[in-house]
Amino acid sequence: CMTKEGIHVNSNNVNSVKLFATNGAGVKNSKVESLNAQVRSTKANIIMVQETHSTEKGKIKMDKEFVIFEAIRKKKGGGTLMAINEDLKPKLIEEYSDEFELIVVEANTTEKTIRVITGYGPQECWEEERRLPFFLALEIEIEKAELGGKSLIIEMDANAKLGPSYIPGDPHAMTPNGALLAGIIERHNLIVCNASDKCSGTITRRRQTRDRLEQSVIDILLISSDMKEHFTKMHVDEERKHVLTKIR
């Protein structure tokens, strides 16, 4: 779970943009109340959740001021959700949900129009021909935003390890998915917020198995270079204070 705070942009209605992002590991039933509670407590106005495990749209209900967008593959598990406060006047730009999940929504403030992108990256163990389409689509959407003069906020469970050369403290070397993502970052001069000195915490996924503790940095926040001056704070929830909880 990550909370990303303080990407500040001036607006008539919104003084700042605050993101709450998490891998929900199954939200659709007993974690919806927990999701809404976390959104209220963090006062986030952009929400991104991967692995909702929803099989159809509209099953996850949030507070009425949020507009919800979903991408759902015809596959067990998966499910990606983005919810944006209506004050940001969100508008769906693109949804990919056939072979992979990617959502692009436009949000408006007085000074900036921002393309907000979220998705769930392909597994590292897949063959390259199954992994490439996700990264190709991501880059196409970035190029479309740039051509339209839009700013960018991208948050993903990318299933990609960029390695310590990009994120100090990353316990893994760069992986093939990480190399694909790094190429996009370099070609488009994106800022890796996980690597910023304004980011506290590093590890975004931790799992204890019988034999070892597995740790990785696979949830990535990227912004366009014009957003750098507005970025004030990011927190990676290593203490697990904002993990979604089953409530029955």
Side-chain angles (χ1 to χ4, degrees):
C1 171
M2 296 190 287
T3 62
K4 295 97 177 179
E5 307 176 61
I7 299 176
H8 291 280
V9 286
N10 295 327
S11 169
N12 289 332
N13 298 312
V14 181
N15 292 322
S16 66
V17 173
K18 185 174 182 181
L19 282 66
F20 176 83
T22 185
N23 184 306
V27 176
K28 65 176 181 178
N29 296 317
S30 54
K31 293 183 181 178
V32 175
E33 283 188 45
S34 178
L35 173 62
N36 279 294
Q38 292 295 345
V39 171
R40 293 179 201 124
S41 70
T42 59
K43 296 181 173 60
N45 53 11
I46 297 181
I47 318 304
M48 299 175 177
V49 184
Q50 295 86 35
E51 288 202 271
T52 62
H53 293 184
S54 290
T55 56
E56 58 181 300
K57 295 180 180 180
K59 294 297 183 181
I60 298 175
K61 305 295 184 182
M62 297 189 64
D63 293 341
K64 62 182 180 180
E65 66 265 26
F66 283 94
V67 182
I68 297 175
F69 307 90
E70 294 181 81
I72 300 172
R73 287 174 293 166
K74 295 187 172 87
K75 178 183 179 296
K76 186 177 180 181
T80 295
L81 176 145
M82 186 191 299
I84 298 184
N85 191 290
E86 61 187 5
D87 287 344
L88 287 165
K89 301 177 178 61
K91 177 178 68 175
L92 180 66
I93 299 300
E94 198 66 71
E95 173 199 326
Y96 299 82
S97 55
D98 292 332
E99 300 300 322
F100 55 86
E101 296 165 357
L102 198 65
I103 304 172
V104 184
V105 175
E106 193 163 282
N108 292 282
T109 67
T110 299
E111 291 189 1
K112 287 184 179 292
T113 301
I114 305 170
R115 290 278 172 93
V116 186
I117 302 175
T118 192
Y120 185 65
Q123 299 297 318
E124 291 271 17
C125 60
W126 292 359
E127 301 87 351
E128 186 176 40
E129 58 266 25
R130 290 184 65 197
R131 293 187 287 109
L132 277 175
F134 174 86
F135 294 99
L136 290 172
L138 174 62
E139 187 156 22
I140 287 170
E141 293 303 326
I142 291 170
E143 289 171 349
K144 285 163 60 177
E146 291 171 341
L147 288 170
K150 320 295 184 183
S151 300
L152 279 162
I153 299 174
I154 305 166
E155 189 285 325
M156 305 175 290
D157 181 341
N159 281 313
K161 301 177 180 72
L162 288 169
S165 63
Y166 276 86
I167 302 175
D170 189 334
H172 295 277
M174 184 181 288
T175 57
N177 277 357
L180 291 169
L181 183 58
I184 294 172
I185 291 168
E186 296 303 324
R187 286 190 291 275
H188 299 277
N189 196 27
L190 300 176
I191 306 298
V192 182
C193 295
N194 303 61
S196 170
D197 57 7
K198 297 174 183 176
C199 176
S200 60
T202 302
I203 303 300
T204 70
R205 183 178 185 272
R206 179 179 285 113
R207 184 177 67 167
Q208 180 68 59
T209 68
R210 179 176 297 182
D211 302 319
R212 58 180 176 145
L213 176 64
E214 297 179 352
Q215 299 187 114
S216 58
V217 184
I218 56 175
D219 301 274
I220 308 295
L221 176 64
L222 307 170
I223 56 176
S224 50
S225 57
D226 68 296
M227 294 288 283
K228 184 177 181 179
E229 63 181 294
H230 302 286
F231 175 64
T232 61
K233 184 167 65 171
M234 171 176 168
H235 176 64
V236 179
D237 184 27
E238 292 185 342
E239 301 86 6
R240 298 176 63 81
K241 292 180 179 179
H242 299 282
V243 173
L244 302 189
T245 306
K246 291 182 179 180
I247 300 173
R248 297 184 183 277

PDB file of all heavy atoms in Angstrom, residues 139-172:
ATOM      1  N   GLU A 139       3.202   3.233 -23.298  1.00  0.00           N
ATOM      2  CA  GLU A 139       3.979   4.275 -23.975  1.00  0.00           C
ATOM      3  C   GLU A 139       3.124   5.041 -24.979  1.00  0.00           C
ATOM      4  O   GLU A 139       3.290   6.256 -25.130  1.00  0.00           O
ATOM      5  CB  GLU A 139       5.203   3.679 -24.657  1.00  0.00           C
ATOM      6  CG  GLU A 139       6.118   4.736 -25.234  1.00  0.00           C
ATOM      7  CD  GLU A 139       7.551   4.295 -25.405  1.00  0.00           C
ATOM      8  OE1 GLU A 139       7.803   3.067 -25.478  1.00  0.00           O
ATOM      9  OE2 GLU A 139       8.426   5.166 -25.466  1.00  0.00           O
ATOM     10  N   ILE A 140       2.225   4.366 -25.647  1.00  0.00           N
ATOM     11  CA  ILE A 140       1.318   5.053 -26.568  1.00  0.00           C
ATOM     12  C   ILE A 140       0.491   6.099 -25.827  1.00  0.00           C
ATOM     13  O   ILE A 140       0.312   7.233 -26.294  1.00  0.00           O
ATOM     14  CB  ILE A 140       0.404   4.038 -27.289  1.00  0.00           C
ATOM     15  CG1 ILE A 140       1.206   3.262 -28.337  1.00  0.00           C
ATOM     16  CG2 ILE A 140      -0.789   4.740 -27.937  1.00  0.00           C
ATOM     17  CD1 ILE A 140       0.459   2.082 -28.917  1.00  0.00           C
ATOM     18  N   GLU A 141      -0.018   5.737 -24.650  1.00  0.00           N
ATOM     19  CA  GLU A 141      -0.835   6.678 -23.879  1.00  0.00           C
ATOM     20  C   GLU A 141      -0.001   7.848 -23.359  1.00  0.00           C
ATOM     21  O   GLU A 141      -0.486   8.981 -23.277  1.00  0.00           O
ATOM     22  CB  GLU A 141      -1.541   5.952 -22.728  1.00  0.00           C
ATOM     23  CG  GLU A 141      -2.589   4.945 -23.179  1.00  0.00           C
ATOM     24  CD  GLU A 141      -3.668   5.561 -24.056  1.00  0.00           C
ATOM     25  OE1 GLU A 141      -4.022   6.741 -23.839  1.00  0.00           O
ATOM     26  OE2 GLU A 141      -4.155   4.870 -24.972  1.00  0.00           O
ATOM     27  N   ILE A 142       1.241   7.587 -23.006  1.00  0.00           N
ATOM     28  CA  ILE A 142       2.136   8.669 -22.593  1.00  0.00           C
ATOM     29  C   ILE A 142       2.378   9.625 -23.766  1.00  0.00           C
ATOM     30  O   ILE A 142       2.327  10.852 -23.619  1.00  0.00           O
ATOM     31  CB  ILE A 142       3.468   8.090 -22.070  1.00  0.00           C
ATOM     32  CG1 ILE A 142       3.236   7.366 -20.737  1.00  0.00           C
ATOM     33  CG2 ILE A 142       4.516   9.184 -21.901  1.00  0.00           C
ATOM     34  CD1 ILE A 142       4.417   6.549 -20.259  1.00  0.00           C
ATOM     35  N   GLU A 143       2.625   9.054 -24.945  1.00  0.00           N
ATOM     36  CA  GLU A 143       2.857   9.886 -26.135  1.00  0.00           C
ATOM     37  C   GLU A 143       1.622  10.718 -26.480  1.00  0.00           C
ATOM     38  O   GLU A 143       1.736  11.898 -26.836  1.00  0.00           O
ATOM     39  CB  GLU A 143       3.236   8.989 -27.313  1.00  0.00           C
ATOM     40  CG  GLU A 143       4.627   8.380 -27.180  1.00  0.00           C
ATOM     41  CD  GLU A 143       4.914   7.329 -28.233  1.00  0.00           C
ATOM     42  OE1 GLU A 143       3.959   6.920 -28.935  1.00  0.00           O
ATOM     43  OE2 GLU A 143       6.088   6.925 -28.356  1.00  0.00           O
ATOM     44  N   LYS A 144       0.447  10.127 -26.352  1.00  0.00           N
ATOM     45  CA  LYS A 144      -0.788  10.861 -26.631  1.00  0.00           C
ATOM     46  C   LYS A 144      -0.952  12.039 -25.664  1.00  0.00           C
ATOM     47  O   LYS A 144      -1.354  13.137 -26.057  1.00  0.00           O
ATOM     48  CB  LYS A 144      -1.993   9.916 -26.534  1.00  0.00           C
ATOM     49  CG  LYS A 144      -2.128   8.980 -27.728  1.00  0.00           C
ATOM     50  CD  LYS A 144      -3.036   7.808 -27.447  1.00  0.00           C
ATOM     51  CE  LYS A 144      -4.437   8.176 -27.073  1.00  0.00           C
ATOM     52  NZ  LYS A 144      -5.294   6.965 -26.888  1.00  0.00           N
ATOM     53  N   ALA A 145      -0.616  11.796 -24.392  1.00  0.00           N
ATOM     54  CA  ALA A 145      -0.707  12.871 -23.400  1.00  0.00           C
ATOM     55  C   ALA A 145       0.276  13.991 -23.738  1.00  0.00           C
ATOM     56  O   ALA A 145      -0.072  15.182 -23.686  1.00  0.00           O
ATOM     57  CB  ALA A 145      -0.428  12.316 -22.006  1.00  0.00           C
ATOM     58  N   GLU A 146       1.494  13.618 -24.101  1.00  0.00           N
ATOM     59  CA  GLU A 146       2.512  14.627 -24.438  1.00  0.00           C
ATOM     60  C   GLU A 146       2.109  15.438 -25.660  1.00  0.00           C
ATOM     61  O   GLU A 146       2.262  16.665 -25.676  1.00  0.00           O
ATOM     62  CB  GLU A 146       3.849  13.933 -24.671  1.00  0.00           C
ATOM     63  CG  GLU A 146       4.462  13.351 -23.401  1.00  0.00           C
ATOM     64  CD  GLU A 146       5.673  12.482 -23.681  1.00  0.00           C
ATOM     65  OE1 GLU A 146       5.839  12.023 -24.834  1.00  0.00           O
ATOM     66  OE2 GLU A 146       6.446  12.233 -22.743  1.00  0.00           O
ATOM     67  N   LEU A 147       1.594  14.761 -26.679  1.00  0.00           N
ATOM     68  CA  LEU A 147       1.171  15.463 -27.888  1.00  0.00           C
ATOM     69  C   LEU A 147       0.030  16.434 -27.603  1.00  0.00           C
ATOM     70  O   LEU A 147      -0.095  17.471 -28.255  1.00  0.00           O
ATOM     71  CB  LEU A 147       0.754  14.455 -28.958  1.00  0.00           C
ATOM     72  CG  LEU A 147       1.892  13.665 -29.614  1.00  0.00           C
ATOM     73  CD1 LEU A 147       1.333  12.535 -30.468  1.00  0.00           C
ATOM     74  CD2 LEU A 147       2.777  14.585 -30.453  1.00  0.00           C
ATOM     75  N   GLY A 148      -0.793  16.075 -26.618  1.00  0.00           N
ATOM     76  CA  GLY A 148      -1.912  16.942 -26.253  1.00  0.00           C
ATOM     77  C   GLY A 148      -1.552  17.996 -25.222  1.00  0.00           C
ATOM     78  O   GLY A 148      -2.425  18.747 -24.777  1.00  0.00           O
ATOM     79  N   GLY A 149      -0.287  18.035 -24.799  1.00  0.00           N
ATOM     80  CA  GLY A 149       0.143  19.024 -23.821  1.00  0.00           C
ATOM     81  C   GLY A 149      -0.356  18.764 -22.418  1.00  0.00           C
ATOM     82  O   GLY A 149      -0.538  19.707 -21.628  1.00  0.00           O
ATOM     83  N   LYS A 150      -0.578  17.505 -22.075  1.00  0.00           N
ATOM     84  CA  LYS A 150      -1.097  17.142 -20.763  1.00  0.00           C
ATOM     85  C   LYS A 150       0.035  16.721 -19.817  1.00  0.00           C
ATOM     86  O   LYS A 150       1.032  16.131 -20.244  1.00  0.00           O
ATOM     87  CB  LYS A 150      -2.093  15.971 -20.858  1.00  0.00           C
ATOM     88  CG  LYS A 150      -3.049  16.018 -22.033  1.00  0.00           C
ATOM     89  CD  LYS A 150      -4.002  17.193 -21.972  1.00  0.00           C
ATOM     90  CE  LYS A 150      -5.005  17.124 -23.133  1.00  0.00           C
ATOM     91  NZ  LYS A 150      -5.913  18.283 -23.174  1.00  0.00           N
ATOM     92  N   SER A 151      -0.140  17.003 -18.542  1.00  0.00           N
ATOM     93  CA  SER A 151       0.761  16.490 -17.521  1.00  0.00           C
ATOM     94  C   SER A 151       0.410  15.027 -17.248  1.00  0.00           C
ATOM     95  O   SER A 151      -0.656  14.547 -17.652  1.00  0.00           O
ATOM     96  CB  SER A 151       0.633  17.313 -16.235  1.00  0.00           C
ATOM     97  OG  SER A 151       0.954  18.667 -16.473  1.00  0.00           O
ATOM     98  N   LEU A 152       1.302  14.330 -16.528  1.00  0.00           N
ATOM     99  CA  LEU A 152       1.105  12.894 -16.307  1.00  0.00           C
ATOM    100  C   LEU A 152       1.318  12.510 -14.854  1.00  0.00           C
ATOM    101  O   LEU A 152       2.261  12.958 -14.198  1.00  0.00           O
ATOM    102  CB  LEU A 152       2.090  12.086 -17.156  1.00  0.00           C
ATOM    103  CG  LEU A 152       1.736  11.865 -18.626  1.00  0.00           C
ATOM    104  CD1 LEU A 152       2.972  11.446 -19.399  1.00  0.00           C
ATOM    105  CD2 LEU A 152       0.633  10.800 -18.764  1.00  0.00           C
ATOM    106  N   ILE A 153       0.421  11.666 -14.350  1.00  0.00           N
ATOM    107  CA  ILE A 153       0.613  10.930 -13.100  1.00  0.00           C
ATOM    108  C   ILE A 153       0.340   9.473 -13.423  1.00  0.00           C
ATOM    109  O   ILE A 153      -0.749   9.136 -13.906  1.00  0.00           O
ATOM    110  CB  ILE A 153      -0.329  11.398 -11.986  1.00  0.00           C
ATOM    111  CG1 ILE A 153      -0.110  12.880 -11.650  1.00  0.00           C
ATOM    112  CG2 ILE A 153      -0.153  10.537 -10.735  1.00  0.00           C
ATOM    113  CD1 ILE A 153      -1.115  13.437 -10.652  1.00  0.00           C
ATOM    114  N   ILE A 154       1.327   8.612 -13.177  1.00  0.00           N
ATOM    115  CA  ILE A 154       1.193   7.184 -13.492  1.00  0.00           C
ATOM    116  C   ILE A 154       1.497   6.385 -12.233  1.00  0.00           C
ATOM    117  O   ILE A 154       2.577   6.523 -11.660  1.00  0.00           O
ATOM    118  CB  ILE A 154       2.168   6.757 -14.615  1.00  0.00           C
ATOM    119  CG1 ILE A 154       1.980   7.632 -15.856  1.00  0.00           C
ATOM    120  CG2 ILE A 154       1.994   5.276 -14.952  1.00  0.00           C
ATOM    121  CD1 ILE A 154       3.112   7.513 -16.860  1.00  0.00           C
ATOM    122  N   GLU A 155       0.547   5.564 -11.792  1.00  0.00           N
ATOM    123  CA  GLU A 155       0.778   4.659 -10.657  1.00  0.00           C
ATOM    124  C   GLU A 155       0.363   3.268 -11.072  1.00  0.00           C
ATOM    125  O   GLU A 155      -0.733   3.064 -11.572  1.00  0.00           O
ATOM    126  CB  GLU A 155      -0.005   5.105  -9.426  1.00  0.00           C
ATOM    127  CG  GLU A 155       0.347   4.357  -8.150  1.00  0.00           C
ATOM    128  CD  GLU A 155      -0.233   2.940  -8.090  1.00  0.00           C
ATOM    129  OE1 GLU A 155      -1.353   2.747  -8.597  1.00  0.00           O
ATOM    130  OE2 GLU A 155       0.430   2.042  -7.520  1.00  0.00           O
ATOM    131  N   MET A 156       1.250   2.304 -10.851  1.00  0.00           N
ATOM    132  CA  MET A 156       0.970   0.939 -11.296  1.00  0.00           C
ATOM    133  C   MET A 156       1.523  -0.076 -10.313  1.00  0.00           C
ATOM    134  O   MET A 156       2.552   0.162  -9.672  1.00  0.00           O
ATOM    135  CB  MET A 156       1.651   0.654 -12.650  1.00  0.00           C
ATOM    136  CG  MET A 156       1.323   1.593 -13.758  1.00  0.00           C
ATOM    137  SD  MET A 156       2.320   1.181 -15.218  1.00  0.00           S
ATOM    138  CE  MET A 156       3.958   1.680 -14.645  1.00  0.00           C
ATOM    139  N   ASP A 157       0.820  -1.198 -10.204  1.00  0.00           N
ATOM    140  CA  ASP A 157       1.474  -2.416  -9.718  1.00  0.00           C
ATOM    141  C   ASP A 157       2.121  -2.960 -10.987  1.00  0.00           C
ATOM    142  O   ASP A 157       1.519  -3.700 -11.753  1.00  0.00           O
ATOM    143  CB  ASP A 157       0.453  -3.388  -9.148  1.00  0.00           C
ATOM    144  CG  ASP A 157       1.094  -4.662  -8.614  1.00  0.00           C
ATOM    145  OD1 ASP A 157       2.243  -4.949  -8.996  1.00  0.00           O
ATOM    146  OD2 ASP A 157       0.449  -5.385  -7.841  1.00  0.00           O
ATOM    147  N   ALA A 158       3.348  -2.534 -11.224  1.00  0.00           N
ATOM    148  CA  ALA A 158       3.972  -2.748 -12.528  1.00  0.00           C
ATOM    149  C   ALA A 158       4.539  -4.142 -12.713  1.00  0.00           C
ATOM    150  O   ALA A 158       4.882  -4.532 -13.827  1.00  0.00           O
ATOM    151  CB  ALA A 158       5.083  -1.723 -12.740  1.00  0.00           C
ATOM    152  N   ASN A 159       4.645  -4.920 -11.612  1.00  0.00           N
ATOM    153  CA  ASN A 159       5.333  -6.212 -11.692  1.00  0.00           C
ATOM    154  C   ASN A 159       6.676  -6.060 -12.401  1.00  0.00           C
ATOM    155  O   ASN A 159       7.082  -6.893 -13.212  1.00  0.00           O
ATOM    156  CB  ASN A 159       4.463  -7.262 -12.389  1.00  0.00           C
ATOM    157  CG  ASN A 159       3.396  -7.826 -11.461  1.00  0.00           C
ATOM    158  OD1 ASN A 159       3.675  -8.197 -10.329  1.00  0.00           O
ATOM    159  ND2 ASN A 159       2.163  -7.870 -11.943  1.00  0.00           N
ATOM    160  N   ALA A 160       7.341  -4.950 -12.099  1.00  0.00           N
ATOM    161  CA  ALA A 160       8.619  -4.626 -12.736  1.00  0.00           C
ATOM    162  C   ALA A 160       9.574  -4.109 -11.673  1.00  0.00           C
ATOM    163  O   ALA A 160       9.207  -3.231 -10.887  1.00  0.00           O
ATOM    164  CB  ALA A 160       8.419  -3.567 -13.826  1.00  0.00           C
ATOM    165  N   LYS A 161      10.762  -4.639 -11.659  1.00  0.00           N
ATOM    166  CA  LYS A 161      11.775  -4.204 -10.694  1.00  0.00           C
ATOM    167  C   LYS A 161      12.795  -3.337 -11.429  1.00  0.00           C
ATOM    168  O   LYS A 161      13.511  -3.814 -12.308  1.00  0.00           O
ATOM    169  CB  LYS A 161      12.434  -5.419 -10.048  1.00  0.00           C
ATOM    170  CG  LYS A 161      11.451  -6.340  -9.313  1.00  0.00           C
ATOM    171  CD  LYS A 161      12.154  -7.558  -8.753  1.00  0.00           C
ATOM    172  CE  LYS A 161      11.179  -8.467  -8.027  1.00  0.00           C
ATOM    173  NZ  LYS A 161      10.278  -9.183  -8.965  1.00  0.00           N
ATOM    174  N   LEU A 162      12.850  -2.065 -11.064  1.00  0.00           N
ATOM    175  CA  LEU A 162      13.769  -1.133 -11.706  1.00  0.00           C
ATOM    176  C   LEU A 162      15.201  -1.279 -11.187  1.00  0.00           C
ATOM    177  O   LEU A 162      16.150  -0.896 -11.864  1.00  0.00           O
ATOM    178  CB  LEU A 162      13.292   0.306 -11.504  1.00  0.00           C
ATOM    179  CG  LEU A 162      12.051   0.715 -12.301  1.00  0.00           C
ATOM    180  CD1 LEU A 162      11.525   2.055 -11.803  1.00  0.00           C
ATOM    181  CD2 LEU A 162      12.350   0.782 -13.787  1.00  0.00           C
ATOM    182  N   GLY A 163      15.360  -1.812  -9.984  1.00  0.00           N
ATOM    183  CA  GLY A 163      16.696  -2.027  -9.441  1.00  0.00           C
ATOM    184  C   GLY A 163      17.243  -0.800  -8.739  1.00  0.00           C
ATOM    185  O   GLY A 163      16.701   0.310  -8.847  1.00  0.00           O
ATOM    186  N   PRO A 164      18.339  -0.948  -7.997  1.00  0.00           N
ATOM    187  CA  PRO A 164      18.890   0.143  -7.176  1.00  0.00           C
ATOM    188  C   PRO A 164      19.443   1.315  -7.964  1.00  0.00           C
ATOM    189  O   PRO A 164      19.613   2.399  -7.405  1.00  0.00           O
ATOM    190  CB  PRO A 164      19.995  -0.558  -6.364  1.00  0.00           C
ATOM    191  CG  PRO A 164      20.327  -1.789  -7.146  1.00  0.00           C
ATOM    192  CD  PRO A 164      19.064  -2.210  -7.822  1.00  0.00           C
ATOM    193  N   SER A 165      19.734   1.145  -9.248  1.00  0.00           N
ATOM    194  CA  SER A 165      20.205   2.291 -10.029  1.00  0.00           C
ATOM    195  C   SER A 165      19.085   3.315 -10.229  1.00  0.00           C
ATOM    196  O   SER A 165      19.350   4.499 -10.454  1.00  0.00           O
ATOM    197  CB  SER A 165      20.743   1.831 -11.386  1.00  0.00           C
ATOM    198  OG  SER A 165      19.721   1.227 -12.157  1.00  0.00           O
ATOM    199  N   TYR A 166      17.842   2.890 -10.138  1.00  0.00           N
ATOM    200  CA  TYR A 166      16.700   3.789 -10.232  1.00  0.00           C
ATOM    201  C   TYR A 166      16.105   4.102  -8.868  1.00  0.00           C
ATOM    202  O   TYR A 166      15.702   5.235  -8.603  1.00  0.00           O
ATOM    203  CB  TYR A 166      15.603   3.193 -11.134  1.00  0.00           C
ATOM    204  CG  TYR A 166      15.837   3.445 -12.604  1.00  0.00           C
ATOM    205  CD1 TYR A 166      16.631   2.591 -13.346  1.00  0.00           C
ATOM    206  CD2 TYR A 166      15.281   4.550 -13.239  1.00  0.00           C
ATOM    207  CE1 TYR A 166      16.860   2.820 -14.699  1.00  0.00           C
ATOM    208  CE2 TYR A 166      15.502   4.797 -14.580  1.00  0.00           C
ATOM    209  CZ  TYR A 166      16.296   3.926 -15.309  1.00  0.00           C
ATOM    210  OH  TYR A 166      16.539   4.169 -16.639  1.00  0.00           O
ATOM    211  N   ILE A 167      16.020   3.077  -7.994  1.00  0.00           N
ATOM    212  CA  ILE A 167      15.403   3.246  -6.681  1.00  0.00           C
ATOM    213  C   ILE A 167      16.397   2.780  -5.621  1.00  0.00           C
ATOM    214  O   ILE A 167      16.562   1.566  -5.408  1.00  0.00           O
ATOM    215  CB  ILE A 167      14.077   2.461  -6.571  1.00  0.00           C
ATOM    216  CG1 ILE A 167      13.099   2.919  -7.664  1.00  0.00           C
ATOM    217  CG2 ILE A 167      13.468   2.650  -5.186  1.00  0.00           C
ATOM    218  CD1 ILE A 167      11.819   2.129  -7.723  1.00  0.00           C
ATOM    219  N   PRO A 168      17.085   3.692  -4.959  1.00  0.00           N
ATOM    220  CA  PRO A 168      18.023   3.292  -3.909  1.00  0.00           C
ATOM    221  C   PRO A 168      17.321   2.437  -2.846  1.00  0.00           C
ATOM    222  O   PRO A 168      16.224   2.775  -2.400  1.00  0.00           O
ATOM    223  CB  PRO A 168      18.481   4.636  -3.326  1.00  0.00           C
ATOM    224  CG  PRO A 168      18.288   5.613  -4.438  1.00  0.00           C
ATOM    225  CD  PRO A 168      17.059   5.153  -5.169  1.00  0.00           C
ATOM    226  N   GLY A 169      17.939   1.342  -2.480  1.00  0.00           N
ATOM    227  CA  GLY A 169      17.344   0.451  -1.497  1.00  0.00           C
ATOM    228  C   GLY A 169      16.526  -0.671  -2.093  1.00  0.00           C
ATOM    229  O   GLY A 169      16.062  -1.561  -1.374  1.00  0.00           O
ATOM    230  N   ASP A 170      16.338  -0.646  -3.421  1.00  0.00           N
ATOM    231  CA  ASP A 170      15.646  -1.764  -4.074  1.00  0.00           C
ATOM    232  C   ASP A 170      16.501  -3.019  -3.878  1.00  0.00           C
ATOM    233  O   ASP A 170      17.674  -3.046  -4.272  1.00  0.00           O
ATOM    234  CB  ASP A 170      15.477  -1.467  -5.568  1.00  0.00           C
ATOM    235  CG  ASP A 170      14.565  -2.476  -6.272  1.00  0.00           C
ATOM    236  OD1 ASP A 170      14.457  -3.619  -5.793  1.00  0.00           O
ATOM    237  OD2 ASP A 170      13.981  -2.120  -7.308  1.00  0.00           O
ATOM    238  N   PRO A 171      15.946  -4.088  -3.281  1.00  0.00           N
ATOM    239  CA  PRO A 171      16.761  -5.270  -2.991  1.00  0.00           C
ATOM    240  C   PRO A 171      17.030  -6.150  -4.204  1.00  0.00           C
ATOM    241  O   PRO A 171      17.783  -7.119  -4.097  1.00  0.00           O
ATOM    242  CB  PRO A 171      15.917  -6.031  -1.957  1.00  0.00           C
ATOM    243  CG  PRO A 171      14.504  -5.626  -2.247  1.00  0.00           C
ATOM    244  CD  PRO A 171      14.586  -4.202  -2.718  1.00  0.00           C
ATOM    245  N   HIS A 172      16.445  -5.829  -5.363  1.00  0.00           N
ATOM    246  CA  HIS A 172      16.606  -6.657  -6.555  1.00  0.00           C
ATOM    247  C   HIS A 172      17.303  -5.895  -7.671  1.00  0.00           C
ATOM    248  O   HIS A 172      17.168  -4.674  -7.785  1.00  0.00           O
ATOM    249  CB  HIS A 172      15.240  -7.143  -7.063  1.00  0.00           C
ATOM    250  CG  HIS A 172      14.541  -8.068  -6.120  1.00  0.00           C
ATOM    251  ND1 HIS A 172      14.800  -9.421  -6.059  1.00  0.00           N
ATOM    252  CD2 HIS A 172      13.599  -7.814  -5.172  1.00  0.00           C
ATOM    253  CE1 HIS A 172      14.041  -9.971  -5.139  1.00  0.00           C
ATOM    254  NE2 HIS A 172      13.307  -9.017  -4.580  1.00  0.00           N
TER     255      HIS A 172
END
